[in-house]
Amino acid sequence: AQSVSQHNHHVILSEAASLELGCNYSYGGTVNLFWYVQYPGQHLQLLLKYFSGDPLVKGIKGFEAEFIKSKFSFNLRKPSVQWSDTAEYFCAVSDSWGKLQFGAGTQVVVTP
Amino acid sequence: EAGVAQSPRYKIIEKRQSVAFWCNPISGHATLYWYQQILGQGPKLLIQFQNNGVVDDSQLPKDRFSAERLKGVDSTLKIQPAKLEDSAVYLCASSLEPGPYEQYFGPGTRLTVT
């Protein structure tokens, strides 16, 4: 069975600070990993995804994530956050049919 | 391109009543998903359709929840009778085809059961 664990439920940081959100997964098959984001008042949307190849993947808005197979991790990073990055971030793992298993989410608040 | 549409956006009902949610996926998307998101948790898949057939409904509480996707386009999710623990946001998502591809989410329906 798949499971996803996100390390922090709430993160508060100042603009220009660096952000790293932890995500660990357990899954026995081929791993397909995602980060989705939900900005206030908006729909869930894809931030980035990893299927295979280069373990460092880049997404929208300057975000990137690194897949470390040995650690079963897929951490999200951004070197310098902006106020507009305030949102809830969800890590997810998918099976070959597209069934997404989400983590509990991390609420990120960026203060001016 | 129009996104995934859902209605209603909000619904308040009493326990033991019934409720139905509607979803219209992005045009041409063969795969449709319904998720339940309880406050403080991530979305949980309830059911996945490929066209008008069910791919996965293993986490759907079939004693009270039902879903259909007639003609392989719109879908309806029903709860009958509702329980307090059904209070959640119900999200519909669609993708071009089944598989580990981007899913496009609708705005959700927030259900409160009193």
Side-chain angles (χ1 to χ4, degrees):
Chain A
Q2 306 170 89
S3 69
V4 178
S5 174
Q6 292 186 236
H7 304 170
N8 309 95
H9 290 296
H10 292 92
V11 172
I12 302 174
L13 59 167
S14 301
E15 276 190 314
S18 63
L19 172 70
E20 180 159 1
L21 302 182
C23 173
N24 287 92
Y25 65 92
S26 66
Y27 183 56
T30 301
V31 175
N32 303 293
L33 294 159
F34 303 80
W35 277 96
Y36 277 83
V37 61
Q38 187 165 26
Y39 297 102
Q42 297 188 25
H43 309 177
L44 263 174
Q45 59 185 280
L46 182 68
L47 200 53
L48 49 78
K49 61 188 177 187
Y50 171 80
F51 292 165
S52 63
D54 189 344
L56 185 63
V57 292
K58 297 190 183 299
I60 60 172
K61 304 189 180 186
F63 284 89
E64 64 180 30
E66 185 175 13
F67 169 58
I68 303 179
K69 187 175 182 179
S70 61
K71 295 185 177 180
F72 299 92
S73 70
F74 190 55
N75 293 352
L76 181 71
R77 298 194 291 254
K78 185 170 183 178
S80 176
V81 295
Q82 301 173 318
W83 177 78
S84 57
D85 293 321
T86 294
E88 189 157 20
Y89 294 81
F90 293 92
C91 182
V93 62
S94 165
D95 66 10
S96 58
W97 280 97
K99 175 181 176 179
L100 283 171
Q101 177 77 42
F102 284 90
T106 299
Q107 183 66 50
V108 173
V109 175
V110 180
T111 60
Chain B
E1 175 179 83
V4 176
Q6 290 188 247
S7 67
R9 292 295 308 278
Y10 305 91
K11 190 75 177 177
I12 301 174
I13 61 172
E14 295 182 350
K15 58 185 179 185
R16 291 187 289 274
Q17 286 186 324
S18 63
V19 65
F21 312 126
W22 172 82
C23 172
N24 181 235
I26 293 173
S27 176
H29 280 197
T31 309
L32 185 146
Y33 309 82
W34 283 102
Y35 291 87
Q36 179 193 58
Q37 185 176 15
I38 293 172
L39 188 64
Q41 300 179 20
K44 182 185 83 171
L45 181 70
L46 293 176
I47 189 166
Q48 176 182 351
F49 290 96
Q50 170 64 14
N51 296 314
N52 60 351
V54 175
V55 174
D56 185 337
D57 63 357
S58 58
Q59 298 189 95
L60 187 74
K62 298 179 187 65
D63 58 332
R64 298 183 300 105
F65 286 64
S66 64
E68 60 183 11
R69 191 183 183 199
L70 300 175
K71 301 180 182 178
V73 182
D74 294 6
S75 177
T76 303
L77 177 70
K78 297 179 181 178
I79 307 175
Q80 182 179 8
K83 293 185 175 181
L84 295 176
E85 59 261 36
D86 298 331
S87 293
V89 175
Y90 291 84
L91 296 168
C92 180
S94 69
S95 63
L96 265 176
E97 54 188 276
Y101 306 115
E102 180 175 0
Q103 294 182 22
Y104 296 82
F105 284 81
T109 296
R110 183 177 298 277
L111 174 67
T112 302
V113 182
T114 62

